[in-house]
Amino acid sequence: MNLKSFAIVLGTISSIVGATEARADVARIRGTVVSVAGSTLTVKDRDGKTDAITLADGWKISGVAKASAADIKQGDFLGIASISKADGGSGALEVVIFPAALKGTGEGDRDWDLQPNSRMTNGTVADVTEIQGRTVTLTYDNGQKKQIAIPQTTPIVTFATATSADLTPGAAVFVNAERGGDGKLAANRVVVGNHGIAPPM
């Protein structure tokens, strides 16, 4: 990856993780590409609804590439969507391993909408244990800690380069959009599954 491409990826990721706080005007669109016409990206979301999203001038795109639990080590910075388990604790729904250059970005624990009652936690790995799969302890916000179990079936990814040419019909995407007062959606970033894996976030 050349320096220009890496800078684009870092800029895209910074925008994504910097916009994770839940706000009334934020709409996280998860689905597949229907079409791209000019500056309009049309997506069929996971509920079967079709959304037309206006891409802002200078919009950015990144891909996701498959990673594994074996790639996670102490000191890494992760973003984990999780949900409370019936027997206590939290279980991961997906894991994103961030580049070292972005350690600390979007740090914290917040509501998320991947599933009902899910949370998103961005933090540094303080500890990794092996008990029926991996369990990580994340630290964030001045010493707060959260232990999250990562089942073997949990999607684990890292960010990769992508271009607008990857937005082909049927491609899986995640879009952090904003809904205006007129109800229309606009976004300045798109994450596309261009390496054989759908964006799990």
Side-chain angles (χ1 to χ4, degrees):
M1 184 188 301
N2 60 42
L3 290 176
K4 182 178 180 181
S5 296
F6 188 64
I8 291 172
V9 172
L10 292 188
T12 302
I13 299 168
S14 295
S15 297
I16 294 166
V17 297
T20 54
E21 292 294 343
R23 299 194 313 243
D25 59 349
V26 169
R28 301 185 186 99
I29 309 299
R30 303 170 175 90
T32 56
V33 174
V34 174
S35 64
V36 180
S39 62
T40 300
L41 169 66
T42 303
V43 176
K44 184 176 182 179
D45 71 20
R46 60 183 180 177
D47 296 322
K49 183 165 61 81
T50 299
D51 294 300
I53 304 165
T54 299
L55 300 174
D57 291 342
W59 68 280
K60 297 178 177 62
I61 186 170
S62 70
V64 288
K66 187 175 182 179
S68 73
D71 297 322
I72 299 172
K73 59 187 182 300
Q74 188 174 6
D76 283 346
F77 191 77
L78 309 181
I80 303 180
S82 65
I83 195 163
S84 296
K85 300 189 298 179
D87 59 352
S90 298
L93 301 172
E94 60 85 21
V95 179
V96 177
I97 303 173
F98 290 103
L102 290 174
K103 184 174 182 177
T105 308
E107 184 177 34
D109 180 79
R110 58 190 65 82
D111 291 332
W112 198 243
D113 59 356
L114 184 58
Q115 287 187 14
N117 303 313
S118 59
R119 307 282 300 175
M120 174 61 74
T121 308
N122 286 15
T124 301
V125 178
D127 186 41
V128 182
T129 56
E130 300 278 355
I131 305 172
Q132 296 180 342
R134 287 207 155 188
T135 295
V136 298
T137 301
L138 296 183
T139 60
Y140 56 92
D141 291 348
N142 299 317
Q144 294 188 65
K145 293 185 178 182
K146 185 172 184 176
Q147 190 175 76
I148 304 173
I150 305 175
Q152 294 181 353
T153 56
T154 302
I156 301 173
V157 300
T158 187
F159 286 101
T161 55
T163 70
S164 58
D166 293 313
L167 295 177
T168 56
V173 291
F174 171 78
V175 185
N176 227 0
E178 292 188 3
R179 192 179 300 278
D182 57 2
K184 294 183 179 180
L185 294 169
N188 58 19
R189 64 195 68 87
V190 177
V191 182
V192 60
N194 63 334
H195 290 268
I197 185 170
M201 64 284 289

